[in-house]
Amino acid sequence: MSMKIGDELSKVLKKTYEPDTLVEMPFKRYDLAFKTDEQGRPYLLFMGKKDERGQIKGERFGRTIQQAPDGTIVKDFWENKGKAS
């Protein structure tokens, strides 16, 4: 069974963070790590449990953001890309 991004996690991922960084944080019973783009928006998420080496074992998600020429967001969704190890 694969994990899904729920409403509470979506709120965390809609925030803006430091651009071009890897952000790590706990979320409920999971460990999260996500990479941000040049505008500070998360675009790659690893969600699961950290092992002894600090690697997250769980699921990997990718974000698709499409913007119109005027900068408004047309599409913004997360897709499960499979296992993270």
Side-chain angles (χ1 to χ4, degrees), residues 9-33:
L9 182 54
S10 287
K11 288 177 187 173
V12 172
L13 296 172
K14 285 190 186 305
K15 293 180 184 173
T16 303
Y17 297 88
E18 187 177 335
D20 296 317
T21 59
L22 178 68
V23 178
E24 295 183 310
M25 67 174 61
F27 179 79
K28 295 192 175 188
R29 60 188 178 131
Y30 298 108
D31 294 312
L32 302 181

Side-chain angles (χ1 to χ4, degrees), residues 45-82:
L45 168 68
F46 299 95
M47 179 176 166
K49 279 292 190 194
K50 278 189 182 179
D51 65 11
E52 63 281 348
R53 296 187 335 240
Q55 299 284 328
I56 293 185
K57 304 269 187 205
E59 301 285 327
R60 180 171 56 100
F61 295 86
R63 185 180 192 180
T64 299
I65 300 173
Q66 291 181 349
Q67 291 181 277
D70 66 359
T72 59
I73 294 177
V74 178
K75 287 186 181 180
D76 183 356
F77 63 91
W78 288 90
E79 185 177 14
N80 189 322
K81 299 292 188 179

